[in-house]
Amino acid sequence: MSPSYDELIRSDRVHGSLYTSPEIFADELARIWYSSWVYVGHVSEIANPGDYVRKNIGPQDVIMSRSADGEVHLLLNRCAHRGNLVCEADAGNSSSFRCPYHGWTYRNSGELLGYPFPEGYGGRGKLDLGLGRVPRMAVHQGFVFGSFAPDGISLAEHLGDAAGEIDRLVHLSPEGEIEISAGWLKHRARANWKLLAENETDGYHPQFVHASIFSVAESGIGALYSEKSEAVTRAFGHGHSENDLRPEFRRLGTPLGWFGTTEERMPDYVAAMRGAYGEAAQEILVEGAPHVMIFPNLFIAEIQMFTIQPLAHDLTVQHVTAVQLKGAPEMNRRMLQQCVGSVGPAGLLLADDTEMYERNQVGVAELRPEWLDVRRGAHREYVDERGLTVGGATDETAMRGFWSHYRDVMA
Amino acid sequence: MTALELDIRQIEQFLYREARLADEHRYDDWEALWTDDALYWVPAGSDDADPMTRMSVVHDNRNRIATRVKQFNTGRRHSQTPTSRLRRVVSNVEIIDDAGDDLTVEANFVLVESRERGKEIWAGRYTYRLRMVDGDLKMSYKKVALVDNARVLPTMSFLI
């Protein structure tokens, strides 16, 4: 029997069992991961007909493929005969998938093409079977989302105002598109997935967890997350949130200041942006990239994209890659090298975040006190002109937004 | 004397020393083994993924090696505070190519890491490029091809 989520999630605190209970994790799979919209992949990962790439929705092994007619499909990696995996490679190009066990073959759009020794089934074309399919799929700016719920709110309703942050990211490309082409690091955290999701837009931790790198790299990032910062934390509803750093970047007022570089160092890129967007380019170049967590699993941290894959109540994989901007090779080289330095198992930033997740998982299993406190900044929150709740740069507004939505979908 | 004239035993002694300094977190001594044009590379996805267009676990030029070491030396690099207990075995040392200015050497390694989180076994193949600089043997390149570089990896923020 499920616990009472209204009891476990209060406005100013959440219960430790939410991170440690296998039963709650099973509830989450059913009510979040296999019900709500989940980010799966980007269309640029399967640019050509026949391209496929193995993705996931939580523990589910999902093949994202592009068929000959150009359509994108989200198929489950499971033969309709005896349930074997039909796709072993991480990525490739093929018009069909052939199960190695008994040779059943499927079109890359999921239909069963054939099976060996058809007389055993009364002849060819006698079976009404195919690969399983994620029932709903929708795409925003090339970002492919899937939902195991056959019915429910649209992706546009799910994303709400957070969609605008994806739009801001793609507008950093002079062609208005990002590309996911750099491959992925897969970083294990022996921790509950929510510790990661909450941390992504927690503006309170950087000065402490990342003090070591901020001090030696003479980074300005730490100052963005301080009591003096004019940056804000915003809850978008549906569990999405952001650290909106634009007030600080506007104050700086220089194109590419957000990226720690200057117009002069990226002349081709800036020229391409001004050519593409005219006067609007100035604002795009000053305001920079978003820092947004899309519930439950997509985190865009300026120049890098993370997806969160929960495997058990205490086991999560972070997949991370560098965002690449179509038509911006100059930027892409620098974005990739900066991303590689920051993220993954040896990253100058993410290794320490992950250390915190893992220690947090151990700590939260201690019996007393039972609760985690999420009240920071509640007294100074306000509602902005879009009707969204906003807190200070270091406030826990994003976490409260996360938990409010979580309670709605779990209760 | 150039690196090309060194005896295999002298080369091995250098590799063992480099391994011991990394195992014992002697960061400054380890950093001093590098030439000015250093590259420290741990590929991801495959052993030869192009590091200019693909993600790597580590892709440090000389400047970033220095940053990495400075970060350790703050004492606040949480993923290495406390440090992992490390011991590695370097073996199967082969001189691969002695045609260039630098001597290319490869070796296999197995490394056991112990932390509070648990024990990890790391393994793979090292490729080094070695050069004599003012009478000292130095390293201009170290590539670490992990056997599991296409799989999910735990945190690995020590010097591999």
Side-chain angles (χ1 to χ4, degrees):
Chain A
M1 193 181 127
S2 292
S4 165
Y5 289 98
D6 284 337
E7 288 295 312
L8 298 179
I9 300 155
R10 313 283 180 85
S11 62
D12 59 349
R13 57 187 175 153
V14 297
H15 197 262
S17 62
L18 291 160
Y19 302 87
T20 59
S21 159
E23 291 74 26
I24 290 175
F25 182 73
D27 275 357
E28 290 173 345
L29 287 183
R31 298 175 195 182
I32 295 173
W33 297 90
Y34 303 157
S35 290
S36 106
W37 287 104
V38 176
Y39 175 70
V40 179
H42 192 268
V43 293
S44 61
E45 295 175 89
I46 46 166
N48 302 304
D51 283 354
Y52 66 88
V53 60
R54 266 168 88 186
K55 293 289 182 181
N56 58 77
I57 294 179
Q60 296 292 312
D61 190 337
V62 176
I63 306 167
M64 183 170 79
S65 65
R66 191 183 288 276
S67 51
D69 58 5
E71 289 297 309
V72 174
H73 304 268
L74 299 181
L75 308 169
L76 296 182
N77 193 0
R78 182 191 202 278
C79 182
H81 175 216
R82 293 194 46 82
N84 217 304
L85 296 178
V86 297
C87 178
E88 270 302 304
D90 284 340
N93 184 285
S94 177
S95 59
S96 63
F97 300 108
R98 182 179 167 86
C99 179
Y101 196 5
H102 301 93
W104 286 33
T105 306
Y106 302 87
R107 208 187 299 279
N108 60 8
S109 49
E111 296 83 11
L112 180 61
L113 278 172
Y115 34 83
F117 313 149
E119 297 72 21
Y121 298 102
R124 295 180 194 284
K126 298 293 186 189
L127 297 181
D128 181 24
L129 294 172
L131 294 178
R133 187 177 288 278
V134 178
R136 285 194 300 160
M137 186 193 74
V139 182
H140 178 78
Q141 299 280 20
F143 290 66
V144 180
F145 294 78
S147 170
F148 276 104
D151 306 298
I153 62 170
S154 69
L155 177 63
E157 287 174 83
H158 169 71
L159 292 177
D161 283 295
E165 299 309 305
I166 295 176
D167 300 344
R168 288 215 297 125
L169 181 72
V170 305
H171 288 142
L172 283 166
S173 152
E175 297 178 28
E177 289 178 47
I178 66 153
E179 290 182 307
I180 297 301
S181 57
W184 296 83
L185 299 184
K186 295 177 254 186
H187 187 181
R188 185 189 81 191
R190 290 197 185 283
N192 187 276
W193 67 274
K194 299 187 292 299
L195 290 170
L196 284 69
E198 290 176 277
N199 184 67
E200 312 299 22
T201 48
D202 168 32
Y204 198 14
H205 82 279
Q207 294 256 21
F208 309 98
V209 175
H210 306 304
S212 62
I213 191 62
F214 291 162
S215 66
V216 303
E218 290 165 13
S219 165
I221 297 172
L224 300 173
Y225 298 102
S226 69
E227 278 293 89
K228 288 180 185 159
S229 172
E230 291 178 17
V232 297
T233 306
R234 181 175 288 110
F236 285 113
H238 289 279
H240 318 311
S241 61
E242 70 165 341
N243 294 122
D244 183 358
L245 306 174
R246 285 176 294 177
E248 287 290 316
F249 297 142
R250 286 188 200 114
R251 205 155 63 121
L252 197 61
T254 54
L256 295 174
W258 65 273
F259 190 40
T261 188
T262 60
E263 199 165 349
E264 291 69 34
R265 287 192 186 154
M266 297 280 156
D268 297 345
Y269 171 64
V270 172
M273 287 295 285
R274 294 198 193 284
Y277 296 105
E279 283 184 11
Q282 181 72 10
E283 186 178 277
I284 297 171
L285 291 166
V286 167
E287 292 187 344
H291 189 105
V292 60
M293 174 70 215
I294 310 271
F295 187 93
N297 73 326
L298 172 64
F299 174 42
I300 299 163
E302 291 87 13
I303 61 163
Q304 47 238 356
M305 179 196 286
F306 294 78
T307 65
I308 296 172
Q309 181 187 15
L311 293 176
H313 68 279
D314 58 356
L315 183 61
T316 305
V317 179
Q318 314 171 71
H319 302 256
V320 58
T321 191
V323 171
Q324 300 281 272
L325 304 171
K326 202 167 181 185
E330 215 174 22
M331 280 289 280
N332 287 342
R333 283 191 291 274
R334 190 178 160 120
M335 288 166 77
L336 175 69
Q337 295 309 322
Q338 196 166 311
C339 176
V340 165
S342 302
V343 307
L348 301 175
L349 290 161
L350 266 290
D352 293 331
D353 287 304
T354 305
E355 181 72 18
M356 291 302 110
Y357 304 148
E358 294 185 333
R359 291 188 200 177
N360 213 154
Q361 186 68 27
V362 176
V364 80
E366 311 297 336
L367 293 175
R368 298 287 185 274
E370 294 178 51
W371 300 87
L372 291 80
D373 194 289
V374 294
R375 86 183 82 179
R376 183 178 171 78
H379 65 286
R380 54 185 180 183
E381 277 177 356
Y382 60 93
V383 175
D384 71 8
E385 65 285 357
R386 286 189 285 175
L388 305 173
T389 306
V390 178
T394 66
D395 290 346
E396 287 162 352
T397 304
M399 287 181 198
R400 289 187 290 275
F402 175 95
W403 286 109
S404 165
H405 176 68
Y406 180 97
R407 189 180 51 205
D408 288 348
V409 294
M410 295 290 286
Chain B
M1 187 182 204
T2 71
L4 309 184
E5 298 167 62
L6 290 173
D7 178 81
I8 183 78
R9 295 289 297 158
Q10 292 171 289
I11 293 162
E12 286 170 353
Q13 287 297 305
F14 177 87
L15 304 187
Y16 299 159
R17 180 156 174 264
E18 190 268 339
R20 178 167 51 82
L21 295 177
D23 282 346
E24 296 178 358
H25 310 282
R26 290 172 58 183
Y27 303 124
D28 295 334
D29 293 339
W30 180 83
E31 188 185 354
L33 299 178
W34 288 98
T35 61
D36 292 340
D37 57 342
L39 184 68
Y40 171 38
W41 179 35
V42 184
S46 74
D47 292 354
D48 296 300
D50 176 4
M52 304 315 287
T53 59
R54 305 284 290 178
M55 295 292 288
S56 299
V57 181
V58 174
H59 190 242
D60 286 4
N61 60 14
R62 185 65 189 81
N63 192 38
R64 193 172 281 166
I65 289 171
T67 301
R68 191 175 290 282
V69 166
K70 278 190 225 160
Q71 187 186 24
F72 288 132
N73 284 335
T74 64
R76 289 178 290 170
R77 172 59 155 163
H78 303 293
S79 51
Q80 278 301 307
T81 311
T83 54
S84 299
R85 287 274 293 162
L86 303 172
R87 283 298 169 194
R88 75 194 76 186
V89 173
V90 179
S91 186
N92 304 43
V93 179
E94 290 182 74
I95 296 173
I96 294 299
D97 165 25
D98 54 9
D101 292 340
D102 290 2
L103 183 69
T104 301
V105 178
E106 293 191 2
N108 291 348
F109 75 96
V110 177
L111 189 169
V112 176
E113 177 195 19
S114 174
R115 330 185 26 80
E116 184 168 331
R117 178 182 67 211
K119 196 175 332 196
E120 302 290 346
I121 296 173
W122 301 88
R125 188 154 179 87
Y126 290 138
T127 304
Y128 315 82
R129 287 190 204 129
L130 306 178
R131 183 188 309 162
M132 293 299 285
V133 179
D134 299 332
D136 291 322
L137 193 55
K138 299 254 185 181
M139 182 163 67
S140 64
Y141 176 92
K142 183 182 182 185
K143 172 179 160 183
V144 185
L146 296 169
V147 294
D148 43 6
N149 60 22
R151 303 199 187 283
V152 178
L153 297 173
T155 295
M156 188 205 74
S157 64
F158 58 85
L159 298 172
I160 197 157

